[in-house]
Amino acid sequence: MTTQDAAVPDARSAPGPTAGPATPDRPAGPATPARPAEPAAPTLDRPAPPARSKGAALAGWALTLGLNVAAPIITYHALKDHGWSEFAALLASGVWPVLDSAVHVVWRRRLDEFAVVTLVFLVITAVVSLVGAHSTRALLVKDSCVTGLFGLLCLVTLLTPRPLMFYFGRKFATDGTAESTAWWNGLWQYEGFRKTMITMTAVWGVAYCLEAGTRVALAYTLSTDTMVTLSPVLIYAVLGALALWTARYGKRSQRKGEELAAAAAAAARA
């Protein structure tokens, strides 16, 4: 190899596109195209939730529980103690969820599903309290029918694009900001997430239908005094059991989804 040849770079080892230099015995050659970069392996990981504002989350929880649970109960009993009828007191206590809906419309610029459902069932409770007999046993049966209607609503939403628990989950899993809401909505594209929401909705629906049927049967079997004590115990026992199961099932489903995503990502990189 001559000195002149040693000064010529080898096009096969030179990085990037190079052209063969013009020499007395070799004309200038065309540029050697660079090897295209391999595309990055796709990732199947779910997007992480955005950083939540603790202050906004706590404020949202306090507002929801205060206006949808605490305020209606306090108002109802306070008005009854002042001589209001059961129907009038119940109807007046429904003002608070209306206020909650108005606050959410102004704050988040959208109508909150949780407040809407709460308001609807307050209206249903007022209607069933007004219609028919007004005996204690009849009122116990009517209260059972209201929880049964909630169970049926859960089951009916299984036929809609998104089940009821998707909206309840969004209410309590996000702080209501546009970023966290968009993150929750985006999870619907994952099959595992959809299955989790559908399963939760089905379990809640069946449980509340069974709870309602059980309370109606007990109302005609046990004494009124016994049912007045037992009925609220059943309501909160079922609610507590469902809440505990939902929390555990949700964590288990999330862990399983993360494991499957990690395995799929590792297989894609292999």
Side-chain angles (χ1 to χ4, degrees):
M1 181 173 62
T2 64
T3 304
Q4 183 184 25
D5 292 332
V8 178
D10 187 351
R12 292 172 298 178
S13 61
T18 58
T23 61
D25 58 343
R26 183 176 60 182
T32 304
R35 184 180 180 183
E38 295 182 358
T43 176
L44 300 179
D45 295 335
R46 294 184 181 183
R52 296 181 62 182
S53 168
K54 293 184 178 180
L58 290 176
W61 272 89
L63 186 66
T64 295
L65 297 179
L67 295 182
N68 287 280
V69 180
I73 292 175
I74 293 172
T75 301
Y76 173 76
H77 288 290
L79 293 178
K80 280 196 65 179
D81 291 343
H82 284 78
W84 287 49
S85 68
E86 183 182 62
F87 173 73
L90 188 61
L91 194 62
S93 67
V95 171
W96 294 108
V98 175
L99 178 61
D100 180 52
S101 298
V103 169
H104 279 91
V105 169
V106 174
W107 183 16
R108 301 177 180 176
R109 297 183 180 180
R110 66 178 179 84
L111 192 61
D112 184 80
E113 296 86 359
F114 185 84
V116 171
V117 171
T118 302
L119 177 60
V120 167
F121 276 92
L122 280 171
V123 172
I124 292 175
T125 303
V127 170
V128 298
S129 297
L130 181 64
V131 176
H134 287 77
S135 66
T136 305
R137 176 168 281 111
L139 289 176
L140 289 171
V141 171
K142 291 173 183 177
D143 288 342
S144 302
C145 291
V146 171
T147 58
L149 285 174
F150 176 77
L152 288 176
L153 176 63
C154 288
L155 297 178
V156 168
T157 61
L158 294 174
L159 304 176
T160 63
R162 297 184 183 185
L164 186 61
M165 285 303 148
F166 170 83
Y167 300 102
F168 274 37
R170 186 172 66 185
K171 171 69 178 179
F172 294 107
T174 71
D175 57 10
T177 61
E179 183 182 18
S180 62
T181 299
W183 161 74
W184 181 263
N185 292 343
L187 293 177
W188 186 253
Q189 65 182 299
Y190 299 101
E191 181 181 358
F193 180 81
R194 295 195 299 270
K195 180 181 178 181
T196 299
M197 292 296 104
I198 291 172
T199 301
M200 286 182 177
T201 304
V203 169
W204 278 68
V206 171
Y208 268 109
C209 286
L210 293 175
E211 181 267 351
T214 301
R215 284 204 292 147
V216 169
L218 291 176
Y220 286 100
T221 304
L222 303 177
S223 66
T224 300
D225 290 342
T226 301
M227 276 304 299
V228 167
T229 302
L230 183 60
S231 185
V233 173
L234 286 175
I235 293 174
Y236 287 103
V238 171
L239 177 61
L242 284 173
L244 181 61
W245 173 84
T246 299
R248 291 183 174 179
Y249 178 72
K251 289 182 179 179
R252 185 169 66 250
S253 298
Q254 180 182 8
R255 184 168 58 251
K256 182 178 179 180
E258 290 172 350
E259 291 173 354
L260 291 175
R269 288 192 296 267

